[in-house]
Every structure is written in C-alpha cells, then in structure tokens.
Amino acid sequence: MTMTRYQKPSPQTQEDALKIAKSIQRPAQTKEQTKLIAHGIQQGIDLYKKQQKEKARELNKKLKKVTQQKPQPAAADDREIETYIVYRQHWLPWTLLLLTWLGVGIYILNHKG
C-alpha cells in the first residue's frame, strides 16, 4: 500500500484558477458551479506543475549522467598539437594592380605632349 501525500495548492494557484473560472463564467451559472470549475482548473494547474518538475528532474538526471560519463581528455593525452596557419595571397590581384598602374603611367606619358 503506497501512501500518497496531498499537498494543499498554493494561494497563487487557487487565485489564478478562480480568475480563469470567473472569466469563462456563463450568465446563468451558479457560484457553486464556478467553484467546481475553478477546482478543476486548479487541479489542471497542479498536474502541469507536477509534470514540469518531473521533466526537470529527468533532465537533471540525464545531464548528470552525461557529465559523469564524459572522459577527461587532458589526462589521457599530454601531447600538444601546434597548428600554424599561413595565409597566402593570390598573385592575380597584385598583377592586375601593377598592370593597371603601368597602363595609367604609359597613357599619361603618351598624352602629355
């Protein structure tokens, strides 16, 4: 036999449930019916919170499990790999720039006189 402990809902949850129930209240609806609707809404909110807490616990368990399984890379391999990046520029832009300046120089020399 398992013993389940019922926690009294928070005043905030009760207040929110009552607000929602009053906002959807029909004109011919009695106060007792509104209270029953608010109670149902409150149970829904409590169930949602319970599910979210359970999901958070499961996620924390998985995260903890993954972090414990992660091997320590620095302990197994003490070698360092050095990488040098060498940037080389292509010769074409510089050649075109040089040819352009030569062409401008020759044009100016020929049309000066």
Side-chain angles (χ1 to χ4, degrees):
M1 184 164 111
T2 60
M3 180 184 268
T4 58
R5 186 173 48 162
Y6 179 73
Q7 293 181 350
K8 188 174 182 181
S10 69
Q12 180 67 31
T13 303
Q14 291 174 343
E15 193 176 297
D16 289 342
L18 191 59
K19 280 182 186 177
I20 293 170
K22 285 184 178 182
S23 70
I24 59 172
Q25 186 176 12
R26 300 284 181 211
Q29 188 172 315
T30 64
K31 285 186 179 183
E32 189 62 36
Q33 290 172 331
T34 305
K35 284 183 183 180
L36 287 173
I37 292 171
H39 182 68
I41 293 171
Q42 177 183 323
Q43 286 178 338
I45 291 171
D46 288 340
L47 180 64
Y48 176 78
K49 285 181 180 180
K50 186 177 179 181
Q51 289 173 346
Q52 293 303 313
K53 285 180 184 179
E54 189 175 315
K55 284 181 184 178
R57 277 195 305 271
E58 287 296 320
L59 185 62
N60 283 339
K61 284 181 185 178
K62 287 180 183 179
L63 185 61
K64 188 176 181 181
K65 190 175 182 180
V66 167
T67 55
Q68 287 177 352
Q69 289 178 352
K70 201 174 199 180
Q72 301 297 331
D77 193 11
D78 291 336
R79 294 180 291 147
E80 288 187 27
I81 299 173
E82 292 185 21
T83 305
Y84 295 103
I85 300 174
V86 178
Y87 293 102
R88 292 189 57 199
Q89 293 183 350
H90 201 272
W91 55 270
L92 183 63
W94 290 107
T95 305
L96 291 174
L97 180 67
L98 181 65
L99 288 174
T100 304
W101 280 102
L102 283 173
V104 168
I106 291 172
Y107 179 79
I108 291 175
L109 289 175
N110 286 339
H111 286 72
K112 251 188 177 183

